[in-house]
Amino acid sequence: MKQTKSGKSEIILNTLSPYDSKVQRYLSLSKEIEQLMNNAKDENEGCVSIELVAEFCVLQEELYQEALKKHKEEAN
């Protein structure tokens, strides 16, 4: 998951439940993207569809916002 790890991912995974269906989908997409990238012949091969990347990015942003909200609520 090196290619898809980010600060947002860390916040999501450390704040939200790994059993949440959205988080499960996020992890599944991350794994699928990683597998596709690892199977590419070289770094210039178009191996991941734009639809898959878009779904991942939209879901990541939704989960990130949820995680920030939950973190803020727990801090109060």
Side-chain angles (χ1 to χ4, degrees):
M1 188 158 49
K2 291 176 192 169
Q3 294 89 352
T4 55
K5 272 200 174 175
S6 69
K8 287 184 178 183
S9 289
E10 295 299 320
I11 292 169
I12 290 166
L13 298 175
N14 289 328
T15 306
L16 301 178
S17 170
Y19 302 108
D20 180 89
S21 62
K22 280 182 164 182
V23 175
Q24 288 292 312
R25 179 65 181 152
Y26 176 72
L27 293 171
S28 174
L29 287 169
S30 178
K31 185 175 181 178
E32 184 176 353
I33 291 170
E34 180 181 19
Q35 288 173 341
L36 289 169
M37 292 175 75
N38 288 338
N39 292 334
K41 294 177 182 153
D42 64 40
E43 62 186 36
N44 295 320
E45 182 181 349
C47 58
V48 181
S49 72
I50 190 69
E51 292 85 0
L52 191 62
V53 173
E55 182 181 358
F56 177 81
C57 291
V58 168
L59 187 54
Q60 181 181 49
E61 189 59 32
E62 286 177 16
L63 291 171
Y64 179 67
Q65 293 303 320
E66 284 180 31
L68 289 178
K69 183 178 177 182
K70 182 177 180 180
H71 184 70
K72 190 179 277 189
E73 288 172 356
E74 289 175 355
N76 290 333

